[in-house]
Amino acid sequence: MDKLNTEPLLHTALMQFIFPFSMKKGESKKLIQQLQGDGFTTFFLDNKALEDAYYGDGYSVSHERMERTYLPFAAHVLFPRQNDVDSFRRFSRVNNLDCILEMPQQTINFKVLSTDIFICPFQLGFVTIRVKLEGESIPYSTALEFADRFRTLEKTFIQDDYTYIHCGEEIYELVEHFVFRNLGDRLEPFLDHSDINGAYFETLPFFVDERMQVQAFYGFQNEENSEEITVDCRYRASQLDGMDLKGAPTISASDPEYIEHYCKEHTYNRWGPDTYYMMNEQTFCCLTRAEPKIAVRLANQMYGEYYYGLLLSIFHKIVLLKLANMHSRLRINRDYEEIDNLIFSINKFSAKFYFLELVSQSQGREIFLQLRKVYGNDALFGEVKETLNDLFQYQDKFQSKRRDNLLMILTVFTVVSGIYGMNQVIDDLKGNIAWSKMIEYSPFELLALFVTVTGILVSVVLTVSALLNELKRRYRKKYTDLD
């Protein structure tokens, strides 16, 4: 890796670390009660007292602007008016914890401002940790290195072996311990640890190296001798290229053409050269040299409407991957109930959560579309829709075949029992059944009796089976709605 000669300085470094998790089925009500008992407040847009409650001094989020940003059907999902299971139910708590991140190169003072926990449909949830780096002149490499170290839940690189979090009198060797023993100390029992395709951590197949998503705001000092936000700066922000073990700034690519091409594909530069947005599957950040008033407004957007846009994009990708994973695990000739459940889940997701148009304003729409492109959600959605068509075709053929077989069986029973039963044994089955006569039956009469009795039994079994299947279907639907 090439060392960089210049080191920009930041006046502001704000970060939101997002941890998606899979929740145990049927546990959402208990989790909500647990969160409310632990001091988390239910977040509703009509509670304007929360506009500046969670974001630190000088920052606030306009609830009215957030609602106007999204079209009504999207706002209904993101900002429910009540505890709706088919929506993003947000619970937030102020922390204001003064902490220190100890790294091999240096120690960094930071403040944990607040924590959000979202309970979402499809047994998914999000934990968001809102952090601010302390200081008036923060080296750019320091901010990037902090983000890269803090988002790592478990030790995966050599730097992680020498990284610790100091909070009060406690020292945490793993970020995972800091999250689940301090910020969300009673969340872990609700996480779903069931095995899915051998995945290791929290069983989510989209998780890479057990790392959190990072949404960041970097406010560069705009002085006379300060340079513009270079392509290298933008690339480093997207890759979280901070420092090497000696404390020197690093960048994980050396070919200028590659860096230029990458930034072209992953930058939203409508307000360049002073403000850029970088986005990929691990980071979404704003880099700006704007004056303080504009910088605060941009930071508020990252806390508000863009934050929800990122959550929605991550939610879309997770659900699409989850649906694809469910399809890959189906035993197509045996798991008939699972096929019905998958068809229901795909239709529900398509109808309620995935729309081509979600944002009303042009700038927000462009950023959201680029996020969706970065996550590859449209391609995944196309694959899931093809899966739905294949399942419909298979289900239609299977049900047609089953109906044909059932019709043939019933026809045989009807014809045989009608011809033989009505003419040979029906009289003996009237009133008091003459059981003694059956001993003297001829083979054809015995066959008629057998067909008549089994026909009655088959009709009873089919009726009871149909009723049980309908009750199970209603129970599954009710159970899903309650969750």
Side-chain angles (χ1 to χ4, degrees), residues 81-348:
R81 294 181 177 272
Q82 56 186 358
N83 190 13
D84 183 3
V85 296
D86 287 332
S87 65
F88 283 40
R89 292 169 284 177
R90 173 179 168 180
F91 303 86
S92 300
R93 182 174 68 181
V94 176
N95 299 111
N96 280 334
L97 298 175
D98 293 316
C99 305
I100 297 174
L101 183 72
E102 180 183 347
M103 303 187 303
Q105 306 92 333
Q106 64 182 102
T107 58
I108 303 173
N109 295 318
F110 69 98
K111 181 185 288 289
V112 178
L113 302 173
S114 57
T115 304
D116 296 340
I117 295 180
F118 284 84
I119 300 175
C120 305
F122 295 94
Q123 297 172 240
L124 294 175
F126 297 100
V127 176
T128 299
I129 304 164
R130 204 165 281 114
V131 170
K132 177 183 180 181
L133 299 194
E134 302 283 31
E136 296 181 357
S137 295
I138 305 166
Y140 184 49
S141 298
T142 297
L144 296 178
E145 187 66 21
F146 173 88
D148 197 28
R149 298 280 66 75
F150 192 88
R151 77 187 184 105
T152 304
L153 292 168
E154 294 190 343
K155 297 181 184 295
T156 55
F157 296 99
I158 188 171
Q159 296 96 319
D160 302 321
D161 294 331
Y162 305 97
T163 300
Y164 306 93
I165 294 177
H166 300 260
C167 186
E169 298 180 356
E170 298 292 331
I171 299 177
Y172 301 92
E173 295 184 1
L174 296 176
V175 177
E176 178 188 3
H177 294 166
F178 179 61
V179 173
F180 292 115
R181 298 178 185 178
N182 190 321
L183 305 179
D185 53 339
R186 292 203 279 181
L187 176 64
E188 195 166 9
F190 296 95
L191 303 184
D192 183 8
H193 294 270
S194 60
D195 184 28
I196 299 178
N197 278 345
Y200 176 70
F201 186 78
E202 303 310 342
T203 70
L204 296 179
F206 48 86
F207 237 103
V208 180
D209 292 335
E210 296 78 52
R211 295 182 172 193
M212 292 186 280
Q213 310 283 335
V214 182
Q215 185 186 22
F217 174 84
Y218 303 114
F220 288 80
Q221 293 185 358
N222 190 1
E223 300 175 352
E224 293 182 0
N225 58 348
S226 63
E227 299 180 357
E228 65 177 19
I229 302 173
T230 64
V231 176
D232 287 349
C233 283
R234 283 178 270 157
Y235 180 83
R236 293 178 66 201
S238 68
Q239 301 298 312
L240 296 177
D241 293 334
M243 299 180 288
D244 59 21
L245 289 174
K246 296 180 180 180
T250 62
I251 184 169
S252 59
S254 58
D255 184 5
E257 292 185 3
Y258 172 82
I259 295 173
E260 183 74 34
H261 176 74
Y262 182 91
C263 289
K264 185 177 180 181
E265 293 291 322
H266 293 81
T267 302
Y268 183 69
N269 57 358
R270 178 172 178 172
W271 296 283
D274 288 335
T275 300
Y276 297 97
Y277 291 87
M278 295 296 300
M279 57 199 78
N280 58 22
E281 290 193 29
Q282 62 185 2
T283 60
F284 172 43
C285 57
C286 173
L287 300 88
T288 183
R289 296 173 65 247
E291 60 183 35
K293 289 184 179 180
I294 297 177
V296 169
R297 191 171 68 213
L298 294 176
N300 292 339
Q301 284 183 322
M302 294 295 283
Y303 279 143
E305 49 264 42
Y306 295 164
Y307 170 49
Y308 277 90
L310 176 62
L311 288 178
L312 194 58
S313 297
I314 299 173
F315 171 78
H316 284 163
K317 176 152 191 183
I318 292 172
V319 176
L320 289 169
L321 288 172
K322 187 175 183 179
L323 294 174
N325 184 64
M326 290 171 62
H327 180 244
S328 68
R329 293 170 61 84
L330 280 177
R331 295 171 297 181
I332 202 71
N333 60 336
R334 296 172 62 182
D335 298 333
Y336 306 124
E337 291 185 5
E338 285 75 9
I339 290 175
D340 287 338
N341 291 338
L342 181 55
I343 290 174
F344 172 78
S345 297
I346 294 175
N347 281 322
K348 178 180 179 180

Side-chain angles (χ1 to χ4, degrees), residues 7-47:
E7 179 68 341
L9 296 177
L10 306 176
H11 59 75
T12 303
L14 307 172
M15 301 170 191
Q16 297 185 110
F17 297 88
I18 301 172
F19 166 69
F21 64 90
S22 181
M23 188 169 53
K24 290 180 180 178
K25 193 170 185 179
E27 294 289 318
S28 60
K29 281 190 174 181
K30 292 182 181 179
L31 177 56
I32 290 173
Q33 294 174 354
Q34 183 73 65
L35 293 174
Q36 291 173 339
D38 290 342
F40 283 85
T41 301
T42 307
F43 183 89
F44 291 117
L45 286 187
D46 58 356
N47 188 355

Side-chain angles (χ1 to χ4, degrees), residues 71 73-74 354-360 365 368-369 372:
L71 295 173
F73 43 79
Y354 199 86
F355 301 97
L356 294 178
E357 293 290 340
L358 292 170
V359 181
S360 60
R365 185 186 303 114
F368 182 81
L369 289 176
R372 190 154 65 185

Side-chain angles (χ1 to χ4, degrees), residues 454-471:
T454 54
I456 295 172
L457 291 175
V458 167
S459 299
V460 172
V461 170
L462 290 176
T463 302
V464 172
S465 177
L467 289 174
L468 289 176
N469 286 335
E470 179 63 18
L471 290 174

